[in-house]
Amino acid sequence: DLKIYTGDIQGGLNSYSESLKIREEIGDKKGIAETLNNIGAVYNQQKDIVKAEDYFLRSLKIREEIGDRIGIAKSLNNMGILNKNKVNKTLALEYYAKSLKIREELEDKLGVAISCNNIGSIYNIMGNWPEALKYFNRSLKIKKELGDKESLSTSYNNIGGLLLNQEKYSIALNYGDSAITLAKELGFPYNIMHAEHLIAQADSGLGNYQQAFEHYKQFIVYRDSINNEGTRKASIKSQLKYA
């Protein structure tokens, strides 16, 4: 919805509600499920976890009733994101794994890459770095095959962050450089922000304090711009990408 993308959250939700009402009147169950999931994604992005969960589960139930396996995988993935935000890592992992299984069966390569990335992020949080790296690398390999530069930048950031946790600063710095090159090429502030932070930490770990300071200043600049209209638009669009 254009209103959502331009930052008019309430206006966008109103549009989704109108769309939902029409789809309910004509009995378009697949459309109903899609709209419910989109509304849930917006609430999740706004940190309203209770409402997000309600809409995600309603969407999932309908998709299961009509046998929409692609939709089911998307709903399960969003439930994983929701539970990650709730810091319920075990449940998030379960939802991500179910989503991955369906996407593998459907041979949805981009979906598999996204699921693997999500699973890797949970293992990273849990401190299971070998499993995290395994899933991150699988995701990275698929994204390279698909030529998905936006997602590649995210993968480089994630692997770099994992290496930072293990104090492998030189290799982490290489991944940070790859991430920021792609992010700047594509103009994605969120990815640039994370890459700047990754590089600052890696440089600090290597004793390159002046360079670390310069990158940290850039991280602050991008962090403070996150609430700008353009960045908010990109963030919400990303949230809805697999809704």
Side-chain angles (χ1 to χ4, degrees):
D1 188 279
L2 289 175
K3 291 179 181 178
I4 294 287
Y5 291 166
T6 55
D8 182 4
I9 304 299
Q10 190 56 55
L13 286 173
N14 290 340
S15 294
Y16 278 141
S17 295
E18 292 171 9
S19 173
L20 180 61
K21 183 179 179 181
I22 293 170
R23 285 173 164 173
E24 287 174 335
E25 288 172 353
I26 64 176
D28 176 13
K29 287 193 174 182
K30 188 172 184 178
I32 291 169
E34 180 184 355
T35 303
L36 288 171
N37 208 35
N38 285 345
I39 294 172
V42 174
Y43 278 124
N44 195 33
Q45 198 273 338
Q46 294 296 302
K47 310 300 182 187
D48 191 335
I49 303 299
V50 175
K51 287 184 180 178
E53 185 170 34
D54 176 55
Y55 280 98
F56 282 156
L57 289 175
R58 287 166 62 189
S59 174
L60 176 59
K61 183 179 179 181
I62 294 172
R63 284 171 163 171
E64 288 176 335
E65 287 174 355
I66 64 177
D68 178 10
R69 299 192 75 214
I70 293 175
I72 291 169
K74 293 175 181 178
S75 288
L76 290 169
N77 185 69
N78 279 346
M79 283 300 296
I81 294 171
L82 180 81
N83 280 282
K84 180 183 177 182
N85 290 342
K86 289 168 67 176
V87 200
N88 191 335
K89 299 182 287 294
T90 302
L91 190 55
L93 197 57
E94 289 177 9
Y95 278 115
Y96 284 146
K98 289 177 182 178
S99 179
L100 174 61
K101 187 174 186 294
I102 294 172
R103 286 169 168 175
E104 288 173 333
E105 292 170 353
L106 295 173
E107 297 183 354
D108 174 10
K109 287 190 174 182
L110 182 56
V112 168
I114 289 175
S115 289
C116 284
N117 186 74
N118 289 340
I119 291 172
S121 70
I122 296 296
Y123 279 123
N124 190 25
I125 293 169
M126 295 171 74
N128 189 339
W129 296 327
E131 281 297 298
L133 187 59
K134 181 179 79 174
Y135 280 99
F136 280 155
N137 278 332
R138 184 181 175 194
S139 179
L140 180 65
K141 181 181 178 182
I142 296 170
K143 289 171 182 178
K144 284 182 176 178
E145 291 172 357
L146 297 175
D148 187 343
K149 290 185 176 181
E150 176 183 356
S151 294
L152 268 175
S153 177
T154 299
S155 284
Y156 287 137
N157 271 326
N158 287 341
I159 295 174
L162 174 64
L163 293 165
L164 274 178
N165 290 337
Q166 301 174 71
E167 299 183 358
K168 297 179 180 179
Y169 300 120
S170 294
I171 311 174
L173 186 59
N174 290 336
Y175 277 98
D177 287 338
S178 297
I180 203 165
T181 298
L182 278 178
K184 286 185 174 180
E185 176 187 333
L186 299 170
F188 289 113
Y190 191 78
N191 287 9
I192 296 171
M193 177 192 73
H194 281 289
E196 291 285 8
H197 194 233
L198 167 59
I199 293 169
Q201 290 177 295
D203 270 328
S204 180
L206 291 167
N208 303 327
Y209 300 118
Q210 184 58 43
Q211 290 169 258
F213 180 61
E214 294 302 322
H215 283 289
Y216 188 76
K217 286 195 295 184
Q218 286 302 304
F219 159 69
I220 295 297
V221 169
Y222 282 98
R223 185 195 66 185
D224 291 347
S225 75
I226 285 296
N227 290 325
N228 287 351
E229 181 176 312
T231 306
R232 183 166 56 246
K233 172 183 174 182
S235 176
I236 297 171
K237 187 173 183 180
S238 176
Q239 176 75 27
L240 294 177
K241 185 175 183 181
Y242 262 80

